[in-house]
Amino acid sequence: PKGWFKKMMQIMESDEKIGGIWGVAVPADQFHYQYVKKMAQINKTNLLEFLRRNGERRGMLHDTLIRLKPVKGIKIPRFLHVMEDHYIRIWIESKGFKWIATSKAYCLHILGIRNKLRDSFMDAYYGWLLGVYPPSWFLKHYFFWFLKLLYLRIRTKSPTILRMEFQKELGFLLAFIKILKNEKTNLKI
């Protein structure tokens, strides 16, 4: 959107220790947009703030401005094609720089209908290994998943949103089972 770079540069220039700034990614397709809008309502906040909070927990690269100095020499593991963005965030922070999530700048993010089961499995599994999702997140997540599905069913009346959410939750559950079996991979920063 117009003015994105100027807004991001103002934040970047305000502190030389900022290594990366992520602006919120507003879903461009109706299904994901409807979903995050309803999730913002559940969390009693506006859409941009809800998206910013999610981006604050996890490093993402769409709509991101990164300072060159903290990423010099980075080597992203070849197998890490999900959570590679958070790996970059951790790398930047390990060099003494900050990672900022802001709602002052945003992009329209085209997600499309992908393989939610596979994507959510990999997101949860590598998110666990990188420390994005601690045990308390998994427990809270599964304590409320049925209520969330019921809420989405009532508020959206969209079979597509329900199917996407169910596949996402199933992927998270399969990742959690793999984590409990203590099946790990080599992942070091």
Side-chain angles (χ1 to χ4, degrees):
K2 189 175 182 179
W4 180 89
F5 187 74
K6 183 178 179 181
K7 291 173 189 174
M8 295 295 263
M9 281 304 296
Q10 286 173 342
I11 297 168
M12 182 73 81
E13 291 170 347
S14 72
D15 185 349
E16 66 184 32
K17 293 308 278 179
I18 294 174
I21 308 166
W22 177 79
V24 297
V26 178
D29 68 275
Q30 68 174 354
F31 299 114
H32 288 95
Y33 181 81
Q34 248 187 358
Y35 171 79
V36 296
K37 187 175 176 185
K38 295 303 177 191
M39 290 296 100
Q41 288 172 354
I42 287 175
N43 287 278
K44 296 181 176 22
T45 188
N46 68 53
L47 180 71
L48 292 179
E49 178 58 19
F50 174 75
L51 293 167
R52 187 198 66 76
R53 286 182 198 165
N54 285 340
E56 192 171 58
R57 178 184 339 108
R58 180 178 183 259
M60 294 182 262
L61 290 183
H62 46 62
D63 196 25
T64 302
L65 184 64
I66 297 175
R67 195 179 298 272
L68 180 61
K69 186 177 178 183
V71 291
K72 280 194 174 184
I74 190 171
K75 293 190 182 355
I76 301 168
R78 294 181 73 96
F79 65 86
L80 200 60
H81 62 278
V82 170
M83 286 285 177
E84 78 291 346
D85 40 14
H86 194 73
Y87 184 90
I88 293 168
R89 175 188 177 164
I90 292 170
W91 179 277
I92 288 171
E93 290 175 336
S94 76
K95 301 298 178 193
F97 288 85
K98 300 177 202 171
W99 184 275
I100 306 290
T102 183
S103 59
K104 293 179 181 173
Y106 69 92
C107 73
L108 297 177
H109 190 214
I110 299 171
L111 292 162
I113 309 286
R114 303 178 305 201
N115 185 333
K116 282 288 183 196
L117 181 63
R118 184 199 68 220
D119 290 352
S120 61
F121 170 84
M122 294 178 72
D123 179 64
Y125 182 68
Y126 288 113
W128 169 270
L129 293 176
L130 289 170
V132 177
Y133 308 126
S136 59
W137 180 88
F138 279 96
L139 293 173
K140 180 181 170 188
H141 201 78
Y142 282 104
F143 186 74
F144 292 108
W145 79 271
F146 182 75
L147 293 174
K148 186 163 71 169
L149 283 173
L150 183 61
Y151 175 82
L152 289 170
R153 171 67 180 110
I154 293 168
R155 296 301 301 245
T156 69
K157 297 178 177 57
S158 169
T160 302
I161 290 175
L162 284 176
R163 185 175 59 253
M164 287 171 22
E165 183 64 19
F166 184 77
Q167 289 175 346
K168 181 179 87 173
E169 296 300 333
L170 183 58
F172 286 170
L173 180 61
L174 294 171
F176 190 58
I177 290 168
K178 184 172 182 164
I179 290 162
L180 288 175
K181 288 182 175 180
N182 203 21
E183 297 176 23
K184 295 184 181 176
T185 186
N186 295 327
L187 185 59
K188 294 180 182 171
I189 299 177

